[in-house]
């Protein structure tokens, strides 16, 4: 492949088609990770793209389109307070340079990019034109237990769930733990604890693909002998249907407002992320399902992805489809992340079948 790093910091390799400058079938995922993450989240999909090109290069086989492999540089949003900036750039969704921001160490995005010879103001130049990309194919570990529970190596994604992420602040009154009577306390932590349980209950009351999570919580002042005066926490709400997500969010907000008033603490809720539900392209999904059935001999499991992926951003540029690969115990974002090599081999065979079918069905 001819390789390059684009203006957003994505790693791109291109395997030319039968004619120079042909549009490309884009294959990839992300190369960044979460703190204390595993080996396979994102990177497996990138390496499978490389293996696919190696497979066809060894045969000297080319297609009416180019194969491009891309490793997106920032899907997780682990370092800076924004996610999927690099795929947004490729999809043409960054009409202007993103606002500068800092990581926890105080290093700005501008300076981090400059260390690798990149410029923040030039990130939008990574945008691809719609006529350059025919489709986007992403293989990814499932990050859940469904495929393992059903003893399936692979699954076909039909849609990526809608997501809301909120930043919540509850403020009470800090006081001495020994002298503040229980009946007079405005304890921000007990209010937050009740809020967490209310959020869990609402998440459990909806359809099976509705999930609600509090994954981060900070207590102030955070010392043993002081009644907590302030708590900051996150809320993550997801569902395959945006209407279900929205209804659950309204219910959560109503519950939190009621308990805050009853406990005499103030409540601030601010929206940090709003990602709409993204359906995968129906024709490509059917083609991927046919490939999976041909390889496995069984009708594949079709499923909604509760996790966000670069595919949901690339859908603004080109039709997308996704293949899930079983992971041990459904564990992800964890060093214990694991896959079975035979499952990966099946996924590889599904992807080769898909690419060859895609080539045969194009005009």
């Amino acid at each position: 492949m001819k390789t390059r790093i684009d203006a957003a910091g994505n790693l791109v390799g291109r395997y030319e088609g039968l004619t120079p400058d042909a549009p490309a079938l884009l294959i990839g995922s992300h190369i960044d990770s979460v703190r204390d993450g595993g080996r396979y989240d994102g990177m497996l999909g990138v390496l499978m793209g490389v293996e696919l090109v190696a497979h066809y290069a060894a045969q000297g086989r080319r297609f009416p389109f180019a194969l491009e492999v891309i490793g997106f540089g920032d899907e997780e949003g682990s370092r800076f307070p924004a996610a999927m900036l690099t795929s947004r750039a490729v999809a043409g969704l960054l009409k202007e340079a993103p606002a500068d921001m800092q990581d926890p160490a105080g290093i700005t995005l501008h300076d981090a990019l400059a260390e690798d010879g990149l410029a923040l103001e030039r990130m939008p130049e990574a945008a691809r034109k719609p006529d350059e990309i025919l489709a986007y194919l992403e293989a990814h570990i499932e990050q859940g237990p469904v495929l393992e529970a059903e003893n399936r190596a692979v699954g076909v994604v039909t849609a990526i769930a809608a997501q809301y992420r909120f930043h919540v602040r509850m403020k009470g009154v800090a006081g001495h733990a020994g002298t503040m009577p229980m009946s007079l306390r405005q304890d921000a932590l007990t209010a937050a604890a009740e809020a967490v349980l209310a959020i869990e209950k609402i998440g459990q009351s909806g359809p099976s693909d509705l999930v609600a999570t509090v994954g981060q919580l900070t207590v102030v002042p955070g010392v043993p002998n002081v009644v907590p005066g302030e708590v900051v926490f996150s809320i993550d709400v997801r569902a395959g249907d945006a209407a279900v997500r929205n209804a659950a969010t309204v219910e959560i907000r109503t519950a939190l407002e009621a308990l805050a008033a009853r406990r005499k603490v103030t409540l601030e809720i601010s929206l940090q992320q709003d990602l709409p539900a993204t359906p995968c392209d129906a024709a490509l999904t059917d083609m991927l399902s046919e490939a999976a059935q041909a390889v496995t001999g069984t009708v594949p499991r079709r499923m909604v992805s509760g996790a966000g992926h670069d595919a949901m951003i690339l859908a603004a540029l080109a039709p997308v489809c996704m293949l899930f690969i079983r992971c041990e115990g459904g564990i992800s974002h964890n060093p214990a992340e694991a896959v079975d090599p035979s499952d990966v081999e099946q996924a590889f065979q599904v992807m080769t079948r898909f690419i060859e079918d895609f080539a045969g069905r194009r005009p």
Side-chain angles (χ1 to χ4, degrees):
M1 291 185 284
K2 292 180 180 177
T3 59
R4 64 187 176 91
I5 294 176
D6 71 14
N10 299 306
L11 179 60
V12 185
R14 181 177 173 91
Y15 180 71
E16 289 291 353
L18 292 170
T19 57
D21 302 320
L25 171 60
L26 190 60
I27 305 166
S29 193
H30 59 97
I31 57 176
D32 66 320
S33 180
V34 296
R35 185 178 294 109
D36 294 325
R39 295 188 176 104
Y40 302 100
D41 177 7
M43 185 59 82
L44 179 61
V46 179
L47 289 176
M48 291 191 74
V50 174
E51 287 297 319
L52 286 163
V53 170
H55 172 73
Y56 291 120
Q59 299 176 17
R61 185 172 181 180
R62 295 184 185 269
F63 297 96
F65 46 83
L67 295 177
E68 285 198 20
V69 181
I70 188 162
F72 292 107
D74 177 40
E75 191 259 9
E76 300 285 5
S78 295
R79 181 176 181 184
F80 294 97
M84 303 187 187
L85 276 178
T86 57
S87 53
R88 288 178 190 276
V90 170
L93 299 178
L94 294 184
K95 302 305 181 185
E96 56 186 31
D100 204 5
M101 56 193 81
Q102 291 187 342
D103 70 6
I107 298 170
T108 66
L109 177 58
H110 176 278
D111 290 346
L113 289 167
E115 286 179 13
D116 284 318
L118 300 168
L120 178 63
E121 62 273 13
R122 298 190 65 180
M123 281 189 76
E125 295 177 18
R128 304 296 295 271
K129 297 175 182 177
D131 61 1
E132 295 177 347
I133 305 298
L134 296 174
Y136 174 69
L137 168 63
E138 181 170 356
H140 203 285
I141 58 171
E142 181 197 352
Q143 299 182 286
V146 175
L147 292 176
E148 185 175 67
E150 297 182 1
N151 193 28
R152 297 175 183 267
V154 296
V156 175
V157 180
T158 57
I160 301 170
Q163 301 179 31
Y164 270 149
R165 188 172 298 170
F166 295 95
H167 178 273
V168 183
R169 185 184 306 274
M170 284 185 154
K171 278 189 174 183
V173 177
H176 195 292
T179 60
M180 180 70 71
M182 297 297 291
S183 61
L184 299 178
R185 293 186 180 190
Q186 293 170 259
D187 187 330
L189 180 55
T190 54
E194 184 177 342
V196 172
L197 291 175
I199 292 163
E200 180 189 44
K201 184 176 181 180
I202 292 166
Q204 292 172 335
S205 66
S208 60
D209 65 340
L210 171 66
V211 290
T213 306
V214 175
Q216 187 177 51
L217 188 146
T218 304
V219 181
V220 178
V223 293
N225 60 346
V226 177
V227 176
E230 180 178 324
V231 174
V232 175
F233 59 94
S234 63
I235 306 176
D236 186 302
V237 185
R238 309 184 188 206
D241 185 334
V244 172
R245 175 203 63 174
N246 297 349
T249 299
V250 169
E251 194 174 347
I252 288 170
R253 185 183 288 272
T254 301
L256 266 55
E257 288 172 347
L259 74 88
R262 175 166 42 82
R263 287 181 170 274
K264 297 181 174 61
V265 299
T266 63
L267 174 69
E268 300 171 16
I269 304 177
S270 58
L271 179 63
Q272 284 194 313
Q273 183 168 280
D274 177 2
L275 297 176
T278 304
C280 293
D281 181 81
L284 293 181
T285 299
D286 286 346
M287 197 181 303
L288 193 58
S289 295
E290 290 168 13
Q293 184 168 348
V295 170
T296 64
T298 59
V299 176
R301 178 69 146 85
R302 291 188 173 219
M303 53 206 310
V304 172
S305 171
H309 300 285
D310 291 298
M312 67 194 305
I313 304 299
L314 268 291
L317 174 67
V320 303
C321 59
M322 282 195 73
L323 183 70
F324 270 172
I325 301 164
R326 172 169 52 186
C327 56
E328 186 177 313
I331 294 171
S332 184
H333 285 189
N334 185 313
E337 220 171 61
V339 295
D340 189 309
S342 64
D343 290 352
V344 177
E345 176 61 25
Q346 278 202 35
F348 177 83
Q349 297 298 334
V350 172
M351 294 173 80
T352 58
R353 181 72 176 245
F354 171 84
I355 291 169
E356 291 161 21
D357 288 350
F358 184 75
R361 297 185 194 187
R362 291 201 57 76

